[in-house]
Amino acid sequence: MDMAKLCTRLLGVLVLLAAFLASASAAPSSADSVAGSLWFDGPAASTVTAGPGGFTDGLGREVVLRGYNVSGEAKLAENNGLPFASAADARKSAVALRAFGGGNSVRFLLSWAYAEPVRGQVDVTYLAAATEQMRAFLDAGIRVFPDFHQDLSSRYLFNSGSWYTGDGAPKWVVDAGGYPKESCGICLFWGQNITQNQAVQKAAYDFWHNTGGVQDAFLATAQSTMAYLAGHLTADEFAAVAGFDPYNEPFAGTYDSGQTSRTWERDVLWPFYGKFRARMDAAGWQAKPAFVEPNLFWNSNISSQKQEGGLLDAGTLGPRYVFNTHFYDQKAISGILMWGKAADGQYSGDFGTVRDRATAAGTAAIVSEFGHPLSGTVSDKAPTVDKAMYQALDSRLPGSKWWSNPTASGPVLSGAQWQWDIYSGRHHELMNGNPGKVRTSGDAWNDEDMSAVRLDDSGNAALRQDARLLDRLYPSATAGHTLAFTYEDRSRDGSTTLTWNPVPSSLPHVSQLVGSGQYGLLLWRSDGSTAPTELHLPASFGTSATTVVSDLGAVSGPPSYTAGTPVAVAPEPGGTGSRRLLLTAPGSGTTHFALVTNGATSPSADLLAGARTELAAWAAAHA
């Protein structure tokens, strides 16, 4: 075992010990255990540490965080800056997210405007409600990383008749700012306010330069919020809080004379993150990373908007920081700059840049926002754009090249799709407080419509996108080191099945076994851990329909987990009905493979044996 793994194992022991000691003195008295937990679940498995190549848990396993943003509802006034109208709705959302959306983590939005409505006075009622809603996700076995969200600085910058609105800073900040009358001119997209609305630009500039102590006030509120969460979540619940996102999509507003995007990151943004990091430490979050975002424009795929950045001068980040970025295909969203739809490997280069930047910074990466509009003139691109983004999270290779060079895949990236809003299409938002402009459709915010979920007429959560796209097979925890991973989801674009990674004809038994079904393939090197490798099983992989072909065994309809069963299934913790595949690999430094498919119906022993022989030879040749 190398030194990094040994240190991670020791950290896991310390986490378990700390959780045990804390459980005796934690303020809440409710039971900590998550429903459905097995011997290797619990605080150590929930805790994540950032490092080169990705996240690890307290058991030393590589971890992939996958899920959604919860949710843009926090940007609205109708529920007072909370993601949900009630804790009951939060629980409904959490169960659906785990069971139907396949998520094991969420970026949980918070509002500064509602956390500190009066300067210097933190609203404990708001924090209590937010904590209770957050607990709904933690109880469902879902990790959480909160985010103090802002867009266009503040909703209070905008007048009641404006075309647009914002979110973020409280009214007292705007009242004290003396900002010019807001106007974006002729703006087709809300994001143009960033570069064309002088009020928005001046407010952003003032925040970064701490005009009137506004940044100090924000940091104080952030510390109070984090201290409240640490004090009011149980030890096990707090262990599953992965970290904190200090500031959504930072941009300078305007640059000082001689300043560039890169020097702004170095001299303004990075010092702010250092201050936020100190506040985390003071609030009891010493062991959790800050999920820091670079300049919003660093990875724009429109050349005229792209700016140099990516925290290039911040040095080595991890484990105190996570490289946290967003990616939207602005060309596709424009409706002009990208004709047609996304294709195999469309975003391999874009997401490869994220991997490379995180590697150079010595820490984990997460794409904490991605997605595409689900209504409007460019919504026809959504099935292919989103599939290509998930494909790029899974591997840096297009499907056409994966089988011939799998170990060039790079680490499996963590990600959170924008967004998961159960109130989609059912809002009642008075835009900028105007009773004559009640927004009900889509996200009810600047004409966006990007929620993957909604409530049907019976009040049940229902997906708005193809379940084959959203509920995905992925390695949620790997005992060892991931060498390569791919997943062919067979999601649809209308009536067309999208298959970008067919099994090559050189593996005829594997091809026959998969057929037209979904399949994933994980290649990893074990580390001798007794805790298993875990893959989330989509709902489309019912036990009787699931076939696993691995060097650990070849089975159709895997049995329930026991410590002596190398290939098995079990519920995921949280009692939501979601399931996982558990692979227990002996030895350290041994290469293993596992093909998981729902394409076969009662495959013969000969077919399983033939597929296993082909995959063993393929793995030996490429790993």
Side-chain angles (χ1 to χ4, degrees):
M1 183 184 300
D2 62 32
M3 185 58 67
K5 289 288 186 183
L6 178 59
C7 290
T8 303
R9 292 287 178 79
L10 291 174
L11 177 61
V13 174
L14 293 174
V15 168
L16 284 170
L17 178 60
F20 174 77
L21 294 174
S23 65
S25 58
S29 58
S30 60
D32 281 3
S33 59
V34 174
S37 295
L38 296 173
W39 68 266
F40 47 86
D41 298 318
S46 298
T47 302
V48 295
T49 301
F55 296 100
T56 55
D57 65 15
L59 303 176
R61 298 180 298 179
E62 291 182 349
V63 167
V64 174
L65 304 178
R66 286 287 176 88
Y68 304 83
N69 284 262
V70 178
S71 72
E73 173 67 23
K75 296 160 65 168
L76 307 180
E78 63 182 1
N79 283 322
N80 298 315
L82 291 166
F84 302 98
S86 65
D89 277 3
R91 288 190 290 272
K92 178 186 293 187
S93 180
V95 170
L97 187 147
R98 188 76 151 146
F100 308 139
N104 68 357
S105 65
V106 293
R107 182 175 181 244
F108 191 96
L109 272 61
L110 298 171
S111 170
W112 178 21
Y114 288 91
E116 190 188 6
V118 178
R119 184 164 191 163
Q121 298 181 25
V122 175
D123 188 340
V124 177
T125 301
Y126 174 80
L127 296 185
T131 303
E132 191 62 24
Q133 293 184 11
M134 192 179 296
R135 180 175 285 116
F137 289 85
L138 297 168
D139 288 348
I142 297 170
R143 293 183 182 91
V144 171
F145 60 103
D147 157 48
F148 261 122
H149 208 79
Q150 76 78 35
D151 289 290
L152 309 183
S153 295
S154 174
R155 71 189 299 264
Y156 299 104
L157 283 172
F158 294 82
N159 65 73
S160 61
S162 178
W163 290 4
Y164 299 106
T165 190
D167 71 289
K171 185 175 185 298
W172 61 261
V173 172
V174 176
D175 289 344
Y179 298 115
K181 183 178 180 180
E182 68 87 11
S183 174
C184 192
I186 302 175
C187 291
L188 300 179
F189 304 99
W190 69 260
Q192 290 176 268
N193 284 272
I194 294 171
T195 56
Q196 294 179 220
N197 191 323
Q198 292 184 16
V200 171
Q201 292 176 313
K202 183 63 166 60
Y205 182 92
D206 284 354
F207 178 86
W208 297 117
H209 290 78
N210 198 26
T211 303
V214 64
Q215 187 182 115
D216 291 340
F218 172 80
L219 290 168
T221 297
Q223 180 177 335
S224 296
T225 299
M226 289 185 283
Y228 188 94
L229 290 170
H232 289 80
L233 294 171
T234 68
D236 282 15
E237 289 167 348
F238 190 56
V241 176
F244 207 108
D245 185 341
Y247 196 91
N248 178 69
E249 296 183 352
F251 62 96
T254 56
Y255 294 120
D256 289 323
S257 177
Q259 192 175 55
T260 67
S261 56
R262 180 166 178 172
T263 60
W264 178 80
E265 281 195 346
R266 183 192 67 197
D267 299 336
V268 178
L269 181 60
W270 185 247
F272 166 75
Y273 287 145
K275 294 175 185 177
F276 196 95
R277 175 71 262 179
R279 299 287 185 152
M280 292 179 71
D281 295 347
W285 292 53
Q286 299 93 329
K288 299 181 186 295
F291 285 59
V292 295
E293 301 183 35
N295 174 7
L296 165 65
F297 299 104
W298 85 280
N299 62 342
S300 171
N301 71 341
I302 297 178
S303 58
S304 62
Q305 294 185 3
K306 189 178 181 68
Q307 297 180 8
E308 185 180 24
L311 303 177
L312 295 169
D313 300 300
T316 301
L317 301 185
R320 302 269 286 167
Y321 301 93
V322 169
F323 186 75
N324 172 20
T325 190
H326 299 172
F327 183 80
Y328 293 98
D329 187 342
Q330 296 163 312
K331 292 181 179 179
I333 292 173
S334 74
I336 299 171
L337 300 176
M338 186 188 103
W339 295 101
K341 300 183 180 182
D344 178 30
Q346 185 86 19
Y347 306 114
S348 296
D350 297 297
F351 284 45
T353 298
V354 174
R355 286 178 170 88
D356 292 342
R357 183 68 205 104
T359 298
T363 191
I366 185 168
V367 184
S368 64
E369 282 191 29
F370 65 93
H372 191 81
L374 299 182
S375 63
T377 58
V378 298
S379 60
D380 65 308
K381 301 178 190 294
T384 57
V385 166
D386 287 340
K387 178 182 173 73
M389 289 182 179
Y390 275 113
Q391 180 194 52
L393 288 173
D394 289 343
S395 169
R396 70 186 301 155
L397 295 174
S400 61
K401 297 181 179 179
W402 192 88
W403 283 93
S404 61
N405 190 22
T407 55
S409 283
V412 181
L413 281 177
S414 294
Q417 183 175 333
W418 184 271
Q419 65 163 326
W420 190 269
D421 173 17
I422 61 172
Y423 307 119
S424 173
R426 296 176 180 270
H427 293 281
H428 189 82
E429 174 72 3
L430 278 61
M431 185 175 178
N432 297 317
N434 187 344
K437 297 185 71 172
V438 179
R439 295 292 178 253
T440 60
S441 63
D443 301 343
W445 194 86
N446 287 344
D447 295 324
E448 285 198 341
D449 183 13
M450 298 179 72
S451 177
V453 71
R454 63 178 179 85
L455 295 178
D456 63 21
D457 291 340
S458 299
N460 298 315
L463 295 179
R464 299 181 64 223
Q465 293 181 272
D466 190 345
R468 289 160 288 220
L469 170 74
L470 300 178
D471 189 12
R472 307 179 63 79
L473 188 83
Y474 62 91
S476 53
T478 302
H481 176 61
T482 302
L483 301 175
F485 175 71
T486 190
Y487 180 54
E488 178 49 78
D489 56 42
R490 311 277 191 184
S491 57
R492 269 60 161 182
D493 178 12
S495 60
T496 302
T497 299
L498 302 172
T499 301
W500 292 349
N501 192 357
V503 178
S505 58
S506 57
L507 303 171
H509 290 89
V510 176
S511 181
Q512 181 182 348
L513 185 69
V514 168
S516 60
Q518 299 166 294
Y519 82 87
L521 180 53
L522 176 67
L523 195 63
W524 81 104
R525 185 168 292 122
S526 59
D527 65 357
S529 173
T530 55
T533 289
E534 302 185 26
L535 291 92
H536 169 72
L537 281 176
S540 57
F541 282 71
T543 299
S544 62
T546 298
T547 297
V548 181
V549 178
S550 170
D551 62 292
L552 304 175
V555 296
S556 180
S560 297
Y561 174 79
T562 66
T565 308
V567 179
V569 295
E572 288 177 318
T576 63
S578 60
R579 296 159 50 259
R580 51 186 165 167
L581 177 69
L582 302 175
L583 304 170
T584 305
S588 179
T590 304
T591 298
H592 302 278
F593 63 87
L595 172 82
V596 188
T597 182
N598 60 5
T601 302
S602 301
S604 68
D606 287 345
L607 180 58
L608 292 175
R612 189 179 186 189
T613 298
E614 289 173 356
L615 287 170
W618 170 83
H622 293 286

